Amino acid sequence: MVTQEAPCISRCLEEAHSLDEFSTSYKEVINTSNMKNSEVSGVMAKADIKPKSIYHAKKWSDDVENLYRFQQAGYRDEVEYKQVKQVDMVECWPETGFVKKLQRRDNTFYYYDKQRECEDKEVHKVKVYVY
């Protein structure tokens, strides 16, 4: 998980958005290599980005756990969830960082525990999307 800060990016996006000068592509405005994971997914959700490739997870990690939770609720990942539900933040457990609550497309909610829910026998079913 990437934990580097990029303080100027959100300010630049807000200024561009407030001036309605969003004509440049996201690649020209945003350098995602030094952004936090949540900032990257937030920017991708606004840009309506589609994945370039896909592969299946081989072993469990925190990211695979969260992908498992999104896919159980009927979404590819956090990016698609934010696009469909028009939300900025996904509710997470502060202790573990795992997704706490997701709303399905039919507006029912899935509630998740603080602990790991994706068992080892389910890991190979999780799809990891590359943008």
Side-chain angles (χ1 to χ4, degrees):
M1 209 172 181
V2 179
T3 58
Q4 297 175 347
E5 294 283 333
C8 147
I9 299 299
S10 61
R11 186 177 67 239
C12 294
L13 285 175
E14 288 172 17
E15 292 171 3
H17 186 63
S18 66
L19 296 173
D20 289 327
E21 296 175 2
F22 227 67
S23 60
T24 56
S25 72
Y26 75 95
K27 290 180 183 174
E28 294 171 352
V29 176
I30 303 162
N31 178 7
T32 58
S33 63
N34 61 355
M35 293 175 69
K36 283 185 180 178
N37 209 10
S38 61
E39 289 174 343
V40 171
S41 61
V43 169
M44 287 180 170
K46 292 176 185 171
D48 195 31
I49 296 173
K50 304 288 184 201
K52 293 181 181 176
S53 65
I54 180 175
Y55 64 93
H56 288 270
K58 302 287 186 238
K59 64 185 226 180
W60 185 90
S61 70
D62 289 351
D63 293 332
V64 169
E65 178 67 34
N66 280 332
L67 285 172
Y68 174 78
R69 293 171 186 221
F70 281 108
Q71 290 169 18
Q72 260 195 330
Y75 301 96
R76 267 192 322 252
D77 51 18
E78 184 177 359
V79 174
E80 185 183 37
Y81 182 77
K82 288 180 175 182
Q83 285 175 352
V84 171
K85 289 298 174 186
Q86 305 279 318
V87 295
D88 293 329
M89 294 282 295
V90 176
E91 199 170 330
C92 295
W93 290 104
E95 298 90 354
T96 59
F98 296 150
V99 173
K100 183 177 186 178
K101 177 178 77 172
L102 292 174
Q103 187 175 11
R104 290 180 16 171
R105 294 173 196 259
D106 63 359
N107 292 327
T108 57
F109 286 88
Y110 275 5
Y111 294 91
Y112 299 100
D113 292 332
K114 294 178 190 176
Q115 295 86 16
R116 173 181 175 176
E117 291 194 8
C118 179
E119 298 177 19
D120 285 333
K121 65 181 182 180
E122 302 288 323
V123 169
H124 74 282
K125 297 178 185 176
V126 176
K127 298 175 184 174
V128 181
Y129 294 88
V130 179
Y131 292 90

